[in-house]
Every structure is written in C-alpha cells, then in structure tokens.
Amino acid sequence: MEIQKQILLFFAGLHGPVLNVLAQLFTIFAEEYALIAIGVFIFWNIDKKKGFSSCFSLLAATNVMNVIKAIIRFPRPWMLIEGLDTVRQETATGYSFPSGHTTCAASFYSAVAINFRRRWLSIICTVLILFAGFSRMFLCVHWPMDVACGLLVGFGSTFMLMNWMNSLYEDKGKCIRVSLLIGAACTLAFI
C-alpha cells in the first residue's frame, strides 16, 4: 500500500495546467459515453459486426467490473491519503477497485484493434488504453492496483469473448435472444 501511495504522491507533484488537461483528455476518451458513441459510429457507418463485438466487449467488461467493485468496496485514494491533490474527482464515483475507465478503455479499444487489424489503429488503441490508466493515476482518483486490475478485466473480456461475439453476430436469431436476455439481466441489475 505504501508503494501505491508514493506513486500517487509522485503524480500529484507533477500536476500543472498542461499535464492536467492532457490527463483529462485521455480520461474522456475512456468514459463510457465516448466509447459508446465511437461504437455506435462504427456500427452504423463502418461495420455492424465489428461495432457489435466492440460494444459487447465493453458491456461485458463493465458488468464484471461493477460486480468486482460491489464485492471489494475499496475506498478512493483521497479517502486514505490526507490532502491528496486530485483532479476531476467528479469522474470517480463509487468504489475504487478496479478502475472503470481503464477497464472500459482496455475492453473496447482492444476489441477495435483486434476487429480491424490495422497497425496504425492498433497503435492508437494501445496509446488510448495505456494513457487511460496513467491518467487515472495522474489525476489521483485511482490506485495503481485499480488500474492493473482494470487492464486485466478489460483485456480478459475481449480475449475470452471475441470469437463467441463474432459467431453470435452471424446467427441473427441467437443474437437477438442473447441480446434480450443480457438486456433484461442488466435492467434487473440496475433496478
């Protein structure tokens, strides 16, 4: 725990107008609204199957992350480090472990990279994933362990489900049934 605290205090010491804005931009590209907008754009304008599997990966990872958060219930860094300088604290709701922004970025952008298999796009996706995690630590709203677990959950959902998601999309009847079932489960969980 002490090492994680020292890492966050190091990042807090780097806070300044330019780096704060850059970190916030990377955080915005890891927020669910931005990812859903990109996923819908891919679905409607580029490739429906790739848009479907990218958004499905995001949905799966988000649900796993929320279950882990509800079980672990680990507090945010500013709750345990007195006087910690946080930035954009309003984006850090609920519990800390694992990082939701990192989980979402890892699941969605890894799915996009795998689906499109373009080197330039894979590089952009990798940068967005890594800097999403770093931005959450730089802003001092997540512990390093939160980010590491977020990466594991995000990548795990993509790599475990990618083949199944793509085959599911090919079977329209099964796709509709599974989508309705997942939608109902998510609605009940939300309620």
Side-chain angles (χ1 to χ4, degrees):
M1 188 67 157
E2 186 62 29
I3 292 173
Q4 293 191 81
K5 179 180 175 181
Q6 293 305 317
I7 291 170
L8 292 182
L9 290 172
F10 169 77
F11 281 128
L14 297 175
H15 286 179
V18 174
L19 290 179
N20 287 4
V21 168
L22 283 174
Q24 291 180 66
L25 284 173
F26 281 109
T27 282
I28 289 169
F29 276 102
E31 291 178 352
E32 291 167 343
Y33 297 116
L35 299 174
I36 290 169
I38 295 168
V40 167
F41 178 82
I42 292 169
F43 183 83
W44 279 337
N45 298 304
I46 299 173
D47 188 301
K48 292 196 182 319
K49 182 177 179 180
K50 293 174 182 176
F52 171 81
S53 63
S54 297
C55 288
F56 196 95
S57 178
L58 174 64
L59 175 68
T62 301
N63 284 319
V64 169
M65 177 260 312
N66 283 328
V67 168
I68 294 171
K69 278 184 184 267
I71 292 170
I72 304 287
R73 297 178 179 215
F74 199 76
R76 296 284 178 168
W78 67 83
M79 296 174 176
L80 299 178
I81 302 174
E82 191 173 318
L84 183 65
D85 179 29
T86 61
V87 180
R88 209 155 188 265
Q89 190 172 329
E90 68 275 4
T91 65
T93 58
Y95 296 107
S96 185
F97 183 86
S99 167
H101 284 77
T102 307
T103 301
C104 291
S107 65
F108 181 79
Y109 290 125
S110 64
V112 169
I114 291 169
N115 276 324
F116 286 97
R117 299 186 188 273
R118 300 281 187 265
R119 176 173 280 200
W120 64 271
L121 184 58
S122 294
I123 291 169
I124 291 171
C125 289
T126 301
V127 167
L128 289 170
I129 292 166
L130 293 177
F131 280 97
F134 279 119
S135 74
R136 301 310 283 168
M137 290 185 295
F138 179 86
L139 299 172
C140 296
V141 293
H142 274 291
W143 302 97
M145 189 56 78
D146 301 343
V147 171
C149 184
L151 289 170
L152 288 175
V153 171
F155 289 140
S157 72
T158 297
F159 292 112
M160 288 173 36
L161 297 174
M162 184 59 75
N163 289 334
W164 179 72
M165 291 182 286
N166 286 329
S167 67
L168 177 65
Y169 186 80
E170 298 298 327
D171 183 347
K172 297 297 181 201
K174 188 175 182 182
C175 183
I176 290 170
R177 288 190 303 276
V178 168
S179 296
L180 288 173
L181 179 65
I182 291 171
C186 289
T187 301
L188 288 174
F190 179 74
I191 292 172

